[in-house]
Amino acid sequence: MNRLAIYPGSFDPPTLGHLDVIERASKLFDDLIVAVGVNSSKNPMLSSDERMEALCNSVRHLANVRVEQFSGLLVHYALDKGAKSIVRGLRATADFEYEFQMAMINRRLSDDVDTVFLMTKWEHSYLSSSIVREVAVLGGDYAGLVPQAVNVVMQRVLSARQDRS
Ligand code: PNS
C-alpha cells in the first residue's frame, strides 16, 4: 500500500519550520503532497504561484515530495488524491486550539482522513509565517528564518513592491 499524506497550509511565506516538517513527514510517508491553499488569505504577501515557486525550489532534494495548489475543502482535496493522512506541525501550546478545531471538523467531514501532528523543532518554535512577514515588510533581516529558495522569491517580490511605491 502506498501511504500518501497531504501537508496543507497557507505558506505565506514558507518558513524553516515548514521545511523541517516537510523533511520529517517525507520520511514517515511514501509520498507527500505539500498543498498550498489558494484561498486562505485575502491579502497575501506572496501570490499562490510565488508560494508554489518558493516551495518547489525548497523541496527539490526530496524525491517523494511534490507541491500542488488546492481550493475548496481540504478533506475533499485529500480524498480526491487518495490520501488518508493530513500532516500539521504543532508549536508549543498556542497552536493547539486552532489545530484541534480543524482536525475535529475535518474528521466530521470525513472519517477516512486522519490528522497527524508533528511537533516543531525547538529552534523553530517561535517561527510563524506572520512573524516572518512582519519582519520582512518592515525591513528586518529574515534570511535565517526561511529556506534559501524562499529568501530569493521574497527578495524579488519585496524589491518589486518597493520600486512601485
Ligand atoms: O497555514 P495555515 O493558514 O494554518 O493553513 C490553513 C489551511 C489552508 C490548511 C486551512 O485554512 C484549510 O484547510 N483551508 C481549506 C478550507 C477547509 O477545508 N476548511 C475546513 C477546515 S479549517
Side-chain angles (χ1 to χ4, degrees):
M1 192 178 72
N2 196 339
R3 286 169 311 145
L4 167 68
I6 309 283
Y7 178 43
S10 305
F11 303 114
D12 184 35
T15 67
L16 283 177
H18 289 132
L19 183 59
D20 171 55
V21 170
I22 292 169
E23 285 173 341
R24 284 156 57 208
S26 77
K27 292 182 190 143
L28 296 175
F29 294 94
D30 297 315
D31 288 298
L32 182 71
I33 299 178
V34 180
V36 179
V38 293
N39 298 333
S40 47
S41 166
K42 287 199 170 60
N43 189 17
M45 178 181 69
L46 301 179
S47 70
S48 51
D49 284 343
E50 287 157 350
R51 287 178 267 157
M52 286 281 292
E53 177 191 349
L55 279 165
C56 286
N57 290 339
S58 302
V59 302
R60 282 196 191 289
H61 58 299
L62 302 168
N64 63 340
V65 177
R66 62 183 192 273
V67 185
E68 295 188 358
Q69 298 185 353
F70 81 101
S71 56
L73 281 178
L74 175 60
V75 283
H76 288 171
Y77 172 77
L79 290 170
D80 192 49
K81 292 287 159 183
K84 294 197 174 301
S85 307
I86 291 168
V87 173
R88 293 287 289 175
L90 211 50
R91 289 162 307 178
T93 54
D95 287 336
F96 184 78
E97 249 178 75
Y98 171 60
E99 294 298 335
F100 182 81
Q101 188 182 27
M102 205 156 81
M104 290 299 125
I105 192 69
N106 283 337
R107 180 176 298 156
R108 187 186 163 90
L109 291 169
S110 173
D111 228 357
D112 290 329
V113 184
D114 229 318
T115 307
V116 177
F117 292 102
L118 294 184
M119 282 289 176
T120 186
K121 268 193 187 161
W122 178 251
E123 58 265 41
H124 301 141
S125 56
Y126 65 96
L127 264 186
S128 67
S129 293
S130 57
I131 222 107
V132 174
R133 265 198 320 271
E134 184 156 330
V135 170
V137 168
L138 297 176
D141 180 10
Y142 55 86
L145 309 177
V146 298
Q148 175 54 23
V150 176
N151 196 358
V152 169
V153 174
M154 284 177 70
Q155 274 180 10
R156 191 182 72 219
V157 169
L158 291 171
S159 66
R161 193 192 268 198
Q162 259 182 350
D163 290 346
R164 281 197 304 272
S165 62

